[in-house]
Amino acid sequence: MEFFRIRRDIPFMRHALVLNVISAVTFLAAVFFIATRGLHLSIEFTGGTVIEVEYPQAAQLEKVRATVDTLNFGEVQVQNFGTSRDVLIRLPVRGDVKQAEVVSRVFDALCKSEGASTSNVQTTSDKGEAISKVVCGKDGAEPVRLQRSEFVGPSVGSELARDGAYALIATVVGIMLYLAIRFEWKFSVAGIVANLHDVVIIVGFFAFFQWEFSLAVLAAVLAVLGYSVNESVVIFDRVREAFRKYRKLNSREVIDHAITSTISRTIITHGSTLMMVVSMYIFGGATLHYFALALMIGILFGIYSSVFVAAAIAMWLGVKREDLVRQGPKETDPDDPNAGAVV
C-alpha cells in the first residue's frame, strides 16, 4: 500500500554530514545531562513502600494525592490499579520512619479525609488464628479499605537496575549479530550506532527534565531498540535490492533511492504507531504517562536515525555492491571482455 510514489530520488545523503553533526551534538548533550544530572529513578530501583487501598466508589486520585502529600514523605505516586476503585500508592524510602509507621500514617490520613477514623479490629482467620487488622469506619461502613502494603528494599532495586542493564546489553548484542548475519558488518555497525543514538537521547531527555525513570520506561527503551532496528532493516533491504537492480548507480545514489522508495511506507507505519502512542499518552493516565512519552521520543528519533544516521554511517564505511550481492555466473557482466566464457 502506498499513499504516493516519488518518481525522482531525494538526495538525502547530500545533507548527511550536516544532519549527522546535529545528531552528534544532540547525542553529546544527552550524555552530558546523564552524567551531570543523573536519572530520577523510581522506587522500583531505589526502594520504597507500596500501599494498595480500595474505595467503595471510583477513587478521587487528586484528593488521595493531596492527602498523602500533606505527610511530606517526598515524591509520591498515586494511580489506579486494576479498577477505578483501587488505588496504588508508592512512597520513597524513609530512613527515619519505619515501614509500619508509614503505612499507618498514610492510611489514617486517607481515612480522616473521608470523615472517618481508624481502629484496630480483632478477627479470626480460617485456621483459627487471631489477627489484628486496622479498619477505617464511619457509621458502620468502610469508606476506604487497606488491601495490602509492601516494602521494596534498596537491594531489590539495585538488582532490578542490574538486570535491566543486562537486558539492554543482551538486546544490543543480539541486534548486532542479527544485522551482521543478515547483511554485512558495516550495516551491523551502522545499525547499532543508530539504535544506541536513539536510546541515549531518550535517557538524556529523562535526565534533563528529571522525569521519573521507572521499569515501564526501561521497557519502552527496549521496545524502541527493536522498533528502530526494524526501520533500519527495511532501508538496508531496499539498499541491497537497489544494488542488485541498478548496477550503474553509485552507493550514494543507491541509498537515496532506497530511502525515497520507503517514504510512503514510513509515513503509514510510523504515523499509525504514533497515533496509538499519543492516544496512550493522553488517555492512559499516570500509569502509562512516561512509558508513552519514552515511546514517542523513541519513534521520532528512530525514524530520523534510520534515515540520516544508519544509512549515512553505512555509506561512510564504504558499503558497496560487492558487500551485499554475491557474485555468480548470472551476476557477471556479459559485455565485459575480461569476464571470460560462461560454460
Side-chain angles (χ1 to χ4, degrees):
M1 178 179 177
E2 286 186 327
F3 278 153
F4 53 86
R5 177 168 294 182
I6 302 173
R7 303 205 177 269
R8 177 174 293 183
D9 293 343
I10 301 172
F12 290 103
M13 292 301 103
R14 183 186 299 172
H15 311 288
L17 180 59
V18 175
L19 292 168
N20 276 263
V21 169
I22 296 173
S23 286
V25 171
T26 309
F27 180 87
L28 292 175
V31 172
F32 173 77
F33 290 124
I34 294 170
T36 56
R37 306 192 66 168
L39 291 173
H40 176 206
L41 298 173
S42 68
I43 66 169
E44 289 110 335
F45 297 109
T46 61
T49 303
V50 178
I51 302 172
E52 184 182 334
V53 295
E54 181 188 17
Y55 288 82
Q57 67 287 333
Q60 301 177 40
L61 294 184
E62 290 303 323
K63 181 181 177 182
V64 174
R65 189 174 291 111
T67 302
V68 180
D69 281 342
T70 59
L71 300 175
N72 297 321
F73 281 141
E75 187 162 345
V76 178
Q77 296 177 17
V78 178
Q79 63 190 67
N80 283 121
F81 178 75
T83 69
S84 60
R85 298 184 293 112
D86 299 315
V87 178
L88 192 68
I89 304 166
R90 299 180 179 181
L91 303 106
V93 172
R94 298 285 300 187
D96 55 336
V97 185
K98 294 182 179 179
Q99 186 221 354
E101 185 180 348
V102 170
V103 175
S104 175
R105 288 171 61 180
V106 169
F107 186 62
D108 189 58
L110 294 177
C111 184
K112 287 181 179 176
S113 69
E114 298 296 326
S117 60
T118 58
S119 60
N120 284 316
V121 176
Q122 297 293 328
T123 59
T124 305
S125 68
D126 297 337
K127 297 180 181 179
E129 299 174 341
I131 300 175
S132 178
K133 184 179 179 182
V134 180
V135 175
C136 177
K138 178 184 178 184
D139 300 330
E142 283 188 84
V144 56
R145 180 180 299 170
L146 178 64
Q147 294 291 83
R148 69 181 176 95
S149 63
E150 293 179 359
F151 176 71
V152 181
S155 60
V156 176
S158 64
E159 288 178 9
L160 286 173
R162 184 194 60 204
D163 292 344
Y166 287 161
L168 185 61
I169 293 171
T171 305
V172 169
V173 172
I175 288 173
M176 288 190 72
L177 289 174
Y178 170 71
L179 291 177
I181 293 171
R182 178 163 178 176
F183 296 98
E184 209 259 344
W185 72 267
K186 295 171 186 173
F187 282 123
S188 174
V189 173
I192 206 63
V193 169
N195 289 344
L196 289 179
H197 163 275
D198 302 340
V199 169
V200 171
I201 287 178
I202 293 173
V203 178
F205 267 97
F206 275 77
F208 178 74
F209 292 105
Q210 288 295 290
W211 294 331
E212 186 183 64
F213 194 90
S214 62
L215 280 177
V217 176
L218 178 62
V221 169
L222 295 176
V224 166
L225 266 177
Y227 186 85
S228 181
V229 76
N230 180 62
E231 183 65 21
S232 299
V233 166
V234 169
I235 293 177
F236 292 165
D237 257 336
R238 288 300 178 95
V239 170
R240 180 164 56 186
E241 183 181 309
F243 268 125
R244 287 174 174 163
K245 194 173 181 181
Y246 306 102
R247 299 187 176 188
K248 294 183 179 179
L249 297 183
N250 59 36
S251 297
R252 180 187 294 264
E253 292 169 335
V254 163
I255 293 174
D256 285 339
H257 176 77
I259 296 173
T260 303
S261 63
T262 58
I263 286 181
S264 178
R265 176 257 175 205
T266 299
I267 292 174
I268 294 171
T269 304
H270 297 294
S272 57
T273 308
L274 204 55
M275 286 171 59
M276 181 272 293
V277 175
V278 170
S279 301
M280 194 189 305
Y281 177 79
I282 296 174
F283 303 109
T287 308
L288 298 175
H289 179 79
Y290 289 121
F291 175 76
L293 189 60
L295 284 179
M296 276 196 290
I297 297 170
I299 289 171
L300 293 175
F301 277 92
I303 302 169
Y304 169 82
S305 67
S306 298
V307 175
F308 296 113
V309 179
I313 291 176
M315 180 183 69
W316 288 327
L317 287 175
V319 66
K320 53 185 182 296
R321 183 173 183 274
E322 290 74 16
D323 293 332
L324 299 170
V325 182
R326 293 182 179 177
Q327 293 292 340
K330 294 182 180 178
E331 297 293 337
T332 56
D333 186 356
D335 298 325
D336 184 0
N338 300 317
V342 178
V343 179

